[in-house]
Amino acid sequence: MDGVVPARVVHRKAVAALGPGFAAAGFALRHVSAAGTWQRPAGPEFVVAWVQPTRSPDALGWYGSRFIIEFRRGAQPLAGVLGPGFRFCQLLDDEGRERVRAAQNAVIRRLPPAPAGVLRTLDDRARDRYLAQGRPVTAPYAADQDIWFRYRDERDLDAWFRLLPVLLPGVLGAVRRRLG
């Protein structure tokens, strides 16, 4: 199942791991959505959080896929609502981003060697971009950096969903301060 974990598995694991933390902060799970989506009222609007797997995983099956958790305030309690927003890692402090970087690098360290057959089909520029997916993140993440959580298999997802609930209370505090 490497690199092809279905989005429904990502959402199921997200709901199980993050649901209690969201509930404790006053968020309700939106059962009408197939995605892991939570919402809570914020005055006449809503703060909505959702788990979004990428629409462009590694089609060649080596480096896997990724997901992100997004928060927005808007008029409707729906994933993708228009309005001001932030992504999970933009709401972390330096220590939290370092924990994410360590987890990201653990996923990268578990990658097998890049498939030689695939590398032979790529030109130099495409090969460099492809191989970059297997390089560790050496610099600390910046506060405004767009960080996606990488995974190849359910083991990686399980690692993320052990870490993210630990970071969630601080993120939800920042959500309350910034989005209401």
Side-chain angles (χ1 to χ4, degrees):
M1 223 162 105
D2 289 344
V4 292
V5 177
R8 71 180 180 284
V9 173
V10 177
H11 292 136
R12 179 179 42 81
K13 288 181 177 284
V15 168
L18 300 174
F22 276 113
F27 284 79
L29 179 65
R30 288 193 44 87
H31 291 287
V32 296
S33 172
T37 304
W38 296 267
Q39 51 106 96
R40 70 166 171 73
E45 296 184 316
F46 297 89
V47 174
V48 183
W50 68 94
V51 176
Q52 176 186 330
T54 184
R55 291 188 177 98
S56 56
D58 174 19
L60 303 173
W62 172 55
Y63 63 79
S65 195
R66 56 199 178 132
F67 70 94
I68 199 157
I69 302 170
E70 185 141 1
F71 298 86
R72 286 199 197 157
R73 188 183 71 232
Q76 299 177 340
L78 304 171
V81 66
L82 297 178
F86 300 92
R87 292 186 166 172
F88 193 96
C89 291
Q90 294 170 324
L91 300 166
L92 291 172
D93 59 16
D94 292 343
E95 180 185 334
R97 284 190 308 280
E98 278 302 298
R99 292 181 77 178
V100 167
R101 184 167 71 107
Q104 198 84 282
N105 282 334
V107 170
I108 293 166
R109 277 192 305 276
R110 285 193 296 273
L111 290 175
V118 170
L119 295 178
R120 282 192 296 272
T121 67
L122 302 173
D123 64 32
D124 290 344
R125 187 173 176 187
R127 186 176 23 262
D128 287 345
R129 277 195 316 269
Y130 193 69
L131 289 172
Q133 300 302 315
R135 292 188 194 113
V137 180
T138 57
Y141 288 127
D144 62 347
Q145 195 165 347
D146 191 19
I147 304 165
W148 288 69
F149 306 111
R150 299 220 2 225
Y151 65 94
R152 273 191 92 232
D153 54 31
E154 288 193 39
R155 175 182 171 190
D156 295 334
L157 286 173
D158 291 343
W160 281 119
F161 290 124
R162 281 190 302 276
L163 173 61
L164 296 177
V166 173
L167 300 175
L168 186 62
V171 165
L172 291 177
V175 166
R176 187 165 295 281
R177 288 188 300 278
R178 295 181 185 193
L179 296 177

